[in-house]
Amino acid sequence: MKTDYLIALMEKTSLLVMLFLLISRLNTFKSIFEKEKYSKKDLAVISIIFTSLAIMATYNGIHYKGSIVNTRIISIVSGGILFGPVVSIPAGFIAGAHRYFIDSGGMTSVPCFISSIMAGILSGIAHKKIPKSSRAFWGILIGMISENITILLIYFISKPTDLAIDIIRAIYLPLIVGQLGIGFMVSIVQVIEKDKKEIEVRKKAEITSLQRQINPHFIFNALNTIASFIRFDPQKARELIISLSTYLRHNLEFNDKPISIKKEIDQVKSFVEIEKARFGEKLKVIYDIDDVDVKIPSLIIQPLVENAIIHGILSKEKNKSGQVIVSVKDLGEKVKVSVEDDGIGIDDKVIEDLYSGNMPENKIGLYNVHLRLKLYYHRGLDIKKLDSGTLIEFYVGR
């Protein structure tokens, strides 16, 4: 009999763990689990997830002589060990109350209600006191302690005593062994955190790579342009030196920390002023910038503008001028950033290569921007070939 219930409960535990694994793979929830700090909204979503899993576990439980053998405690403790009391205490209280009201006359309903709340409190307290590396072990231990509280309460509260003892003998081992499921649920989130750290390492490597790609030809051409202005327009030469200084300083300060979009636009303007000095009337740049206060990864917009000028405008027929529009629009919850040119238009093969990760070396700047945006926002560049020119967009969440 005990073996039958043990096998049945392990199946229920496996189902719970598998369901949580599927939930954790959804981008909406995965992006929350990857964060180092959680907002109130994030914690509310996480609490709903673990509360729902705990309630589902009760419904999916095994009935035995007035008791319901289930995996409710696994969800409550996992939420507390991983995310703290803000998640586990509401989950423990709501799931415990649910367990009580669906079987309010049952002899184990009160013990289960109390132990659910205790599981939420104990795991929430343990969250801040134990190292991350030990969460799986302590989660299993607290799960076992919580279920022992359930058993003790059944023994002392539930009547008749003979029936209570019979229930305890049948369900004790399955409940205790089932707590191994906590270890699996904790491990799922730890794997997500590990993947995030690996992404961060890749991100830093890509940022370092991009930082080293300050085009030496641009510097050389900029200095030649400044030298030519020194002879007939010293004031313009001074302005270009300031623009070049701003451009270089921005590149040298380049790191993986987000910066104000206003600072990024200043970098773009410094770059554009030098290019306009080089190409004169051939190049026109329009800025359509809303007053927004958001942060974005550094050196994101300038490579897009550079790409529009070099591969769009300057590739047009000789003596034909071109226009680039740099736009930052406030859409409420998001900010849309776009760079549009009326040049020759991007090749469809380039768009295909970018989305497939097979970019040629002369377009590596565009690909790096696309990849970094995906790492930060899980969505890269949207590129459209227009009837005349190219439109590149991306979105920044607030």
Side-chain angles (χ1 to χ4, degrees):
M1 179 68 74
K2 292 180 182 178
T3 304
D4 292 340
Y5 282 108
L6 176 61
I7 294 172
L9 194 66
M10 291 308 294
E11 290 175 351
K12 305 294 184 183
T13 301
S14 299
L15 177 63
L16 178 67
V17 173
M18 184 61 66
L19 182 58
F20 180 65
L21 176 62
L22 293 175
I23 291 172
S24 70
R25 295 302 174 185
L26 296 175
N27 286 336
T28 301
F29 300 119
K30 185 178 180 182
S31 62
I32 295 176
F33 294 152
E34 286 177 342
K35 294 180 180 180
E36 291 185 7
K37 293 184 178 180
Y38 305 104
S39 65
K40 292 180 180 179
K41 181 180 177 181
D42 293 333
L43 290 172
V45 171
I46 294 170
S47 185
I48 290 171
I49 291 173
F50 284 96
T51 301
S52 300
L53 289 173
I55 291 173
M56 185 211 72
T58 298
Y59 278 124
N60 195 39
I62 306 161
H63 291 265
Y64 178 75
K65 295 185 178 181
S67 67
I68 305 175
V69 189
N70 62 78
T71 55
R72 180 185 64 260
I73 294 295
I74 295 175
S75 298
I76 297 169
V77 173
S78 296
I81 283 291
L82 287 167
F83 303 103
V86 176
V87 170
S88 62
I89 292 178
F93 181 83
I94 294 171
H98 169 264
R99 168 65 182 86
Y100 175 81
F101 285 113
I102 67 167
D103 184 29
S104 58
M107 63 183 299
T108 63
S109 57
V110 172
C112 289
F113 172 62
I114 296 172
S115 64
S116 295
I117 295 175
M118 291 301 299
I121 294 172
L122 290 174
S123 59
I125 293 173
H127 169 75
K128 292 184 178 181
K129 295 184 178 297
I130 60 175
K132 286 186 176 182
S133 59
S134 301
R135 281 179 176 174
F137 170 78
W138 281 99
I140 294 170
L141 181 60
I142 291 172
M144 290 180 176
I145 291 171
S146 300
E147 290 294 19
N148 273 286
I149 292 173
T150 305
I151 295 301
L152 287 172
L153 289 171
I154 291 174
Y155 180 78
F156 287 110
I157 295 176
S158 301
K159 302 297 179 184
T161 303
D162 290 345
L163 181 56
I165 293 173
D166 183 37
I167 291 172
I168 290 170
R169 285 173 177 170
I171 71 174
Y172 181 73
L173 182 61
L175 288 179
I176 297 301
V177 175
Q179 301 312 302
L180 294 173
I182 297 172
F184 289 109
M185 292 181 73
V186 171
S187 296
I188 288 170
V189 175
Q190 288 179 330
V191 167
I192 294 174
E193 292 174 346
K194 181 181 177 182
D195 289 344
K196 179 195 170 188
K197 289 179 181 179
E198 291 177 353
I199 288 172
E200 291 292 334
V201 170
R202 290 209 325 265
K203 185 193 300 182
K204 290 179 180 180
E206 286 153 7
I207 287 173
T208 302
S209 173
L210 185 57
Q211 185 177 8
R212 292 171 179 170
Q213 292 175 23
I214 300 176
N215 193 332
H217 296 291
F218 170 76
I219 304 298
F220 178 77
N221 292 329
L223 291 173
N224 276 342
T225 301
I226 293 170
S228 66
F229 273 97
I230 288 175
R231 291 193 295 270
F232 62 87
D233 192 346
Q235 178 59 33
K236 183 64 176 178
R238 283 193 290 270
E239 293 173 0
L240 292 176
I241 289 173
I242 293 173
S243 294
L244 180 60
S245 173
T246 301
Y247 173 83
L248 292 175
R249 183 174 66 251
H250 188 84
N251 278 269
L252 293 173
E253 292 175 350
F254 179 39
N255 56 52
D256 62 339
K257 294 181 180 179
I259 64 169
S260 168
I261 196 169
K262 295 177 181 179
K263 186 173 182 180
E264 181 76 3
I265 293 297
D266 288 341
Q267 158 75 352
V268 171
K269 290 180 178 179
S270 298
F271 171 79
V272 166
E273 286 306 308
I274 296 169
E275 295 294 84
K276 286 171 67 177
R278 286 180 60 199
F279 301 110
E281 298 299 322
K282 188 175 176 63
L283 175 61
K284 181 180 180 181
V285 178
I286 297 173
Y287 299 97
D288 182 14
I289 312 293
D290 287 353
D291 186 15
V292 295
D293 185 20
V294 295
K295 291 189 175 183
I296 64 172
S298 58
L299 210 58
I300 285 288
I301 303 176
Q302 184 270 325
L304 303 182
V305 176
E306 182 176 1
N307 182 78
I309 293 173
I310 294 175
H311 299 291
I313 305 303
L314 300 184
S315 296
K316 296 176 73 170
E317 295 179 19
K318 192 175 181 180
N319 299 324
K320 281 199 173 184
S321 62
Q323 176 178 280
V324 176
I325 301 174
V326 181
S327 173
V328 177
K329 307 306 294 180
D330 188 348
L331 303 181
E333 292 185 358
K334 293 184 178 181
V335 173
K336 182 175 76 171
V337 180
S338 64
V339 176
E340 180 180 351
D341 68 74
D342 60 357
I344 63 170
I346 192 168
D347 194 300
D348 291 331
K349 182 67 165 55
V350 173
I351 299 177
E352 181 183 338
D353 288 343
L354 181 134
Y355 290 140
S356 65
N358 188 32
M359 286 293 288
E361 288 188 3
N362 65 330
K363 299 290 193 308
I364 194 68
L366 191 64
Y367 178 65
N368 269 323
V369 171
H370 176 67
L371 186 59
R372 290 174 61 218
L373 286 171
K374 286 185 68 177
L375 293 172
Y376 274 95
Y377 305 115
H378 305 288
R379 178 178 176 181
L381 296 171
D382 291 331
I383 305 178
K384 301 174 185 176
K385 184 175 181 179
L386 308 176
D387 292 336
S388 176
T390 304
L391 173 63
I392 302 178
E393 301 174 337
F394 65 89
Y395 294 84
V396 179
R398 289 185 178 277

